[in-house]
Amino acid sequence: MKAGIVLFPGINRERDMAIALTLASGSKPRMVWHKETDLSGLDLVVVPGGFSYGDYLRCGAMAAQAPVMRAVRDFAAAGGYVLGVCNGFQILTEAGLLPGALLRNAGLRFLSMDCHLRVERSDTVFAGHYQKGQVFRSPMAHGDGNYIADPATLDRLEGEGLVAFRYATPQGEVSEAANLNGSARNIAGIYSPNLRILGLMPHPEDLVDPLMGGTDGKPLFDGLAAAFAQAA
Amino acid sequence: MKAVVTVMLKDGVLDPQGKAIGHALHGLGFSGVGEVRAGKVIELDLAETDADRARQAAEEMARRLLANTVIESYSVRIEG
């Protein structure tokens, strides 16, 4: 798997992401600076977490205008695979690659804790090593993860099966109590219509090794590595 | 010309900051305060000298960057 990780000033989770990708695929991802525009040869572009441009104006708003994001838009339009985590998800929505927006957490607090995610479908390259309905634990760390979109967009996402993960209890119940940041319909992550772009707020890359406290996030990266190993 | 762009969360979009400010005002004894909404004000110094064109430019900037129209609305005021 040839993965690239896009770097903006203020991004700070790129090394976690590199560890997870390397562990799963055996090959180190390429770091792509925000001024670069060449994404050729990549199977997957990852927009990692952090605080790009200090979250000025809105989370992800500045990064969405960077030169590399024009290249990411072209990459996605050509059918490329894109993963956005946390600030990366916010950047993908600001760039118009995924619908909706991420608002301030409903409780106003920055939430740095574990959450549980229910897998809504497993027939994608991202979730192929999970089972549909499976619940896995994932760290999360964000102040603005409260997913919102207009009701028509939410209905379309649900109707077309584009909800990737929902906040749930460890037992898999999608409840208000499990919806830590107040997201619409407990949505933690969504796909593009072609299922090749995934954005999610939690950090599965931070739970991929027993030394990190668990491996709940590893199937996501194993699935990607397996999908692109077959393709190669 | 100077353009002043005001960006607010759309009606119906939960504004937790506004709510928190409202709670704090009540805590200070301002019991007559109803709903509170928080937004941003962005001032732009523009080289443009025509008010209409300055407004058009500022509105384009608001649409493309200053506001996220999924969740925010904006208004533009031109000052001489």
Side-chain angles (χ1 to χ4, degrees), chain A residues 13-93:
Chain A
R13 305 302 279 268
E14 75 280 3
R15 280 167 292 181
D16 312 21
M17 186 58 72
I19 288 167
L21 291 165
T22 307
L23 197 63
S25 70
S27 56
K28 280 195 174 177
R30 188 177 119 203
M31 294 293 177
V32 183
W33 188 232
H34 64 112
K35 290 179 178 167
E36 291 183 45
T37 52
D38 179 15
L39 301 173
S40 56
L42 295 179
D43 298 316
L44 171 74
V45 171
V46 182
V47 188
F51 301 87
S52 56
Y53 302 90
D55 281 345
Y56 286 180
L57 191 62
R58 295 178 303 277
C59 302
M62 296 293 147
Q65 308 301 326
V68 74
M69 286 309 295
R70 286 199 292 275
V72 173
R73 274 195 206 91
D74 292 343
F75 179 81
Y81 289 87
V82 180
L83 170 64
V85 170
C86 197
N87 193 208
F89 183 18
Q90 296 163 339
I91 293 166
L92 294 183
T93 61

Side-chain angles (χ1 to χ4, degrees), chain A residues 12-186:
Chain A
N12 61 7
R13 305 302 279 268
E14 75 280 3
R15 280 167 292 181
D16 312 21
M17 186 58 72
I19 288 167
L21 291 165
T22 307
L23 197 63
S25 70
S27 56
K28 280 195 174 177
R30 188 177 119 203
M31 294 293 177
V32 183
W33 188 232
H34 64 112
K35 290 179 178 167
E36 291 183 45
T37 52
D38 179 15
L39 301 173
S40 56
L42 295 179
D43 298 316
L44 171 74
V45 171
V46 182
V47 188
F51 301 87
S52 56
Y53 302 90
D55 281 345
Y56 286 180
L57 191 62
R58 295 178 303 277
C59 302
M62 296 293 147
Q65 308 301 326
V68 74
M69 286 309 295
R70 286 199 292 275
V72 173
R73 274 195 206 91
D74 292 343
F75 179 81
Y81 289 87
V82 180
L83 170 64
V85 170
C86 197
N87 193 208
F89 183 18
Q90 296 163 339
I91 293 166
L92 294 183
T93 61
E94 283 283 344
L97 285 168
L98 289 171
L102 285 310
L103 286 171
R104 181 65 47 92
N105 293 342
L108 277 175
R109 290 176 193 280
F110 189 99
L111 296 172
S112 179
M113 60 202 295
D114 281 356
C115 62
H116 287 84
L117 301 176
R118 191 179 77 183
V119 179
E120 298 299 292
R121 64 187 295 172
S122 61
D123 57 342
T124 72
V125 297
F126 299 97
H129 280 214
Y130 290 111
Q131 304 292 320
K132 184 181 175 187
Q134 185 180 345
V135 178
F136 69 98
R137 185 163 63 97
S138 176
M140 64 182 221
H142 58 250
D144 300 72
N146 180 353
Y147 183 73
I148 188 174
D150 61 71
T153 301
L154 293 171
D155 289 344
R156 181 179 64 77
L157 287 171
E158 294 194 312
E160 295 176 9
L162 301 179
V163 177
F165 307 110
R166 287 186 212 261
Y167 298 106
T169 64
Q171 292 73 36
E173 191 194 344
V174 174
S175 64
E176 206 175 318
N179 195 15
L180 301 166
N181 56 24
S183 289
R185 304 186 193 182
N186 283 54

Side-chain angles (χ1 to χ4, degrees), chain A residues 57-58 61-62 65 94 100-106 108 146 148-150, chain B residues 7 9 12-14 16-17 20 40 42 64-68 70-72:
Chain A
L57 191 62
R58 295 178 303 277
M62 296 293 147
Q65 308 301 326
E94 283 283 344
L102 285 310
L103 286 171
R104 181 65 47 92
N105 293 342
L108 277 175
N146 180 353
I148 188 174
D150 61 71
Chain B
V7 179
L9 286 170
V13 174
L14 179 72
Q17 284 188 96
K40 296 186 192 97
I42 299 159
R64 292 185 54 188
L65 179 66
L66 305 180
N68 177 345
V70 175
I71 46 171
E72 294 170 326

